Amino acid sequence: MSKKQIVLIFGLLALCAAILAYPLLTIRDSEFGGADGAAEELITELNPDYEPWAESLIQLPGGETESLLFCLQAALGGMVLGGGFGYLIARKRYRKEEAA
């Protein structure tokens, strides 16, 4: 890989990070509720005296950030699985070529 390609790749990664960070920092009071919110409502309905034993370390600016982080987690997992399977397939293919 040339130096120009490496700089381009890191520039695109920085752009992706900026695109991801912008909504996290600017969008406030979004209307979104997930399974965690529904479970919390049900628990307080069943037992109004219940006190949670753990709290979030950080407060996210909006509800959509939870779904964004979940999607990023799923994408990262997909990349790890895809890379792992690609490595295994390529390793098998190159072993056959070396033996021939």
Side-chain angles (χ1 to χ4, degrees):
M1 236 188 243
S2 72
K3 190 173 184 178
K4 187 177 180 180
Q5 288 175 330
I6 293 172
V7 170
L8 178 65
I9 289 171
F10 279 112
L12 289 173
L13 288 173
L15 178 64
C16 289
I19 289 171
L20 289 173
Y22 180 75
L24 287 172
L25 298 174
T26 58
I27 298 175
R28 304 265 185 229
D29 300 326
S30 56
E31 297 292 328
F32 180 78
D36 293 339
E40 183 180 352
E41 288 176 15
L42 182 62
I43 290 170
T44 55
E45 186 178 305
L46 294 174
N47 185 4
D49 298 330
Y50 176 76
E51 291 184 26
W53 54 274
E55 291 185 18
S56 296
L57 297 176
I58 59 172
Q59 292 296 326
L60 299 174
E64 277 114 9
T65 54
E66 291 178 17
S67 61
L68 172 67
L69 293 174
F70 179 76
C71 290
L72 290 174
Q73 180 184 359
L76 181 63
M79 289 190 303
V80 169
L81 283 174
F85 284 126
Y87 172 77
L88 293 174
I89 290 170
R91 184 178 68 173
K92 186 177 179 181
R93 183 175 297 157
Y94 287 120
R95 280 189 184 164
K96 285 182 182 178
E97 289 177 3
E98 288 178 0

